[in-house]
Amino acid sequence: MKKTILVTGARGYIASYIQNSNKDKFNWIKMTRDDADFSNPDEVEKFVKSQKFDICLHTAANATTAVCEENPELAANINVESTKRIVDACKEKGARLIFCSTEQIFNGKENHGPFKEDEEPKAVTVYGQNKIDCEKYINDSGVDAVILRFSWMMGLSFAGVKASPSIVKNVLNAIMYQKPTLFTCNERRCMTYAKHLAEQFDKIAELPTGVYHVASSNDMTTYESACFVAREMGITEENIEKYILPNTERYSDRFRDYRLDSSKLEEMGIKFGDFKSDVREILKDFSLSK
């Protein structure tokens, strides 16, 4: 018998990709802004408690750094307080929670990644701290939960799935619109083709309770990664120099490295690759290879 999944943020990139790839494996209840305003935890609680489901895939969040920094109380209501209501509802119903966390819980670390799941988090942004607070509440609650810490997820839009900004999308826009775009030199982060998450979601849904890192490996800076994407698209060095620009000012005070080590998932048969292979696969899938 198919399990029923309540998915929050159902129109978002990750949620819609997972649903698209697993539409026949589960029954889906799609929760969107039309059902509840996540800045109002009471509305969220009311809707979630009214539904019958086996699993809640909680992807909804405000992940825009500037918005969270400028409106910390709003961010706390959306990202933390509403999550607490979902956690409590799942525990009351005996449902499993799959919670989407982030690499950003490590953006305050002075030591470099890749980080494993047992590394102590430290964040210097409101959004990163929001996710730390959520993880702590989940762990303290005793709910059956799988916490997925995502790296920067990549991909392009297709029918029914609207991609979020990613390194591939940003490079493509810079070249297509001849718009010089800055890419950070002082950071390293993992970047992962969302397709690999979506296609392995049925296995992820059966994981033992715990925390897991979802990431393809990457040793390049974000600027170096952008240059690689452009070269794989067949862009000339002249145009790369013109439109893919190094941002040496951002994070010049302290190099950021919040890469994730995904070996725990790999040991359980859920494999992610490396950034270069992921980029080549995306470009092949969307007929953008050189």
Side-chain angles (χ1 to χ4, degrees):
M1 185 174 178
K2 289 193 291 188
K3 292 184 177 179
T4 297
I5 298 181
L6 168 67
V7 53
T8 71
R11 297 190 188 117
Y13 179 44
I14 297 301
S16 57
Y17 210 143
I18 288 173
Q19 291 171 83
N20 183 278
S21 297
N22 296 272
K23 55 191 172 186
D24 298 324
K25 295 179 181 178
F26 302 94
N27 298 315
W28 295 93
I29 300 172
K30 300 179 181 183
M31 182 179 179
T32 70
R33 292 175 183 174
D34 297 334
D35 300 303
D37 179 353
F38 266 77
S39 67
N40 186 333
D42 290 339
E43 281 189 18
V44 172
E45 179 181 14
K46 182 179 179 181
F47 181 82
V48 173
K49 283 189 172 182
S50 72
Q51 304 301 309
K52 293 182 179 180
F53 56 90
D54 303 295
I55 299 169
C56 176
L57 171 58
H58 182 26
T59 74
N62 190 321
T64 305
T65 300
V67 172
C68 292
E69 295 297 322
E70 292 169 8
N71 304 277
E73 290 186 11
L74 176 65
N77 273 336
I78 295 171
N79 295 333
V80 183
E81 297 307 318
S82 285
T83 295
K84 289 180 179 179
R85 304 296 182 92
I86 290 171
V87 172
D88 293 346
C90 286
K91 188 174 181 181
E92 183 179 304
K93 290 174 176 287
R96 159 160 277 206
L97 173 67
I98 301 178
F99 176 69
C100 298
S101 190
T102 174
E103 64 183 2
Q104 297 300 322
I105 67 168
F106 296 117
N107 65 26
K109 301 289 284 187
E110 295 181 2
N111 55 314
H112 288 201
F115 298 116
K116 293 192 173 184
E117 285 82 355
D118 58 0
E119 179 79 21
E120 188 70 24
K122 180 182 179 182
V124 291
T125 60
V126 169
Y127 175 64
Q129 187 58 51
N130 284 167
K131 289 296 189 178
I132 292 174
D133 293 344
C134 289
E135 288 194 21
K136 184 177 187 307
Y137 189 85
I138 291 167
N139 289 328
D140 290 345
S141 74
V143 70
D144 174 24
V146 170
I147 296 174
L148 302 176
R149 292 174 178 161
F150 291 142
S151 54
W152 193 9
M153 305 305 285
M154 301 188 294
L156 296 171
S157 300
F158 59 96
V161 178
K162 183 179 179 181
S164 302
S166 69
I167 193 82
V168 174
K169 193 173 181 180
N170 293 347
V171 169
L172 187 61
N173 287 340
I175 299 300
M176 283 180 60
Y177 299 107
Q178 299 184 341
K179 180 182 177 182
T181 303
L182 289 168
F183 294 88
T184 307
C185 294
N186 299 310
E187 72 172 6
R188 285 193 182 90
R189 60 195 301 189
C190 295
M191 306 177 200
T192 308
Y193 192 5
K195 171 182 173 182
H196 299 311
L197 165 69
E199 291 184 343
Q200 299 179 94
F201 179 77
D202 56 338
K203 295 179 182 177
I204 289 171
E206 298 296 327
L207 284 169
T209 299
V211 181
Y212 301 90
H213 287 174
V214 176
S216 293
S217 62
N218 185 27
D219 293 327
M220 294 185 287
T221 67
T222 299
Y223 169 67
E224 291 168 342
S225 299
C227 291
F228 174 81
V229 173
R231 291 187 181 108
E232 288 298 306
M233 290 170 56
I235 306 305
T236 65
E237 292 299 319
E238 179 184 1
N239 281 332
I240 290 174
E241 290 182 11
K242 188 182 296 185
Y243 301 117
I244 309 299
L245 307 181
N247 186 343
T248 58
E249 295 298 318
R250 191 179 189 213
Y251 304 150
S252 59
D253 60 325
R254 178 176 59 81
F255 191 95
R256 264 51 164 196
D257 184 347
Y258 29 84
R259 290 173 295 161
L260 303 176
D261 181 327
S262 63
S263 57
K264 182 177 177 180
L265 275 181
E266 289 179 7
E267 289 170 1
M268 305 185 87
I270 299 171
K271 299 182 183 293
F272 297 91
D274 61 85
F275 171 73
K276 291 182 178 179
S277 297
D278 278 10
V279 168
R280 289 173 179 138
E281 187 172 352
I282 292 169
L283 298 181
K284 181 180 178 182
D285 285 348
F286 290 89
S287 302
L288 294 169
S289 303
K290 59 185 176 183

